[in-house]
Amino acid sequence: MRLSSLADYAVVMMSAAARHCGSAAKLNATTLADETGLPLPTVQKLVSRLSAGGLIESTRGTGGGFRLSRPAAAISLAEIIEAVEGPIALTACVEEGRHDCALEGDCRVKPHWNAVNGAVRGALDGVTLASLSRMPA
């Protein structure tokens, strides 16, 4: 399992945004691009996706910018990944509505994939943005 570059960049960007939590000023894409080293168009694309995912609130225009929609301790790694990549699904078996597997009729592993997928999602859900934004001990 490997995250896409965009999901990885979203985690980097959200971690940087979390370090600014508590500041009265809103962040802007240029500031985060400079701070993270991510290209400005990538940051702008991620702001759009993370805003649509309900993780950041953005305001356009003069004095605009964005901020986390809730405290960093209340945002999980799973939520960030899902905002960028969609629902976490290790196999097509766990995606609702998908029935394109040639083995589906006789697969003895399929009943177990939901538990495996749930364990992975649960692990990602247990990592908060607050913990990702702190310096390691």
Side-chain angles (χ1 to χ4, degrees), residues 93-109:
C93 299
V94 297
E95 292 184 64
E96 288 193 33
R98 295 277 308 258
H99 299 288
D100 57 357
C101 178
L103 303 175
E104 187 172 18
D106 294 323
C107 184
R108 292 179 182 221
V109 177

Side-chain angles (χ1 to χ4, degrees), residues 78-98:
E79 290 177 292
I80 298 168
I81 293 168
E82 288 180 330
V84 174
E85 294 192 347
I88 294 167
L90 296 180
T91 67
C93 299
V94 297
E95 292 184 64
E96 288 193 33
R98 295 277 308 258

Side-chain angles (χ1 to χ4, degrees), residues 18-99:
R19 288 190 292 276
H20 290 274
C21 265
S23 167
K26 291 183 180 177
L27 292 167
N28 63 48
T30 303
T31 300
L32 278 187
D34 290 344
E35 187 173 322
T36 62
L38 296 171
L40 181 59
T42 301
V43 172
Q44 292 168 326
K45 179 186 222 176
L46 288 171
V47 165
S48 177
R49 289 191 185 184
L50 294 165
S51 179
L55 300 179
I56 59 173
E57 299 170 342
S58 62
T59 307
R60 294 180 183 254
T62 306
F66 58 89
R67 64 176 177 232
L68 299 179
S69 63
R70 54 189 191 271
I75 297 174
S76 74
L77 180 55
E79 290 177 292
I80 298 168
I81 293 168
E82 288 180 330
V84 174
E85 294 192 347
I88 294 167
L90 296 180
T91 67
C93 299
V94 297
E95 292 184 64
E96 288 193 33
R98 295 277 308 258
H99 299 288

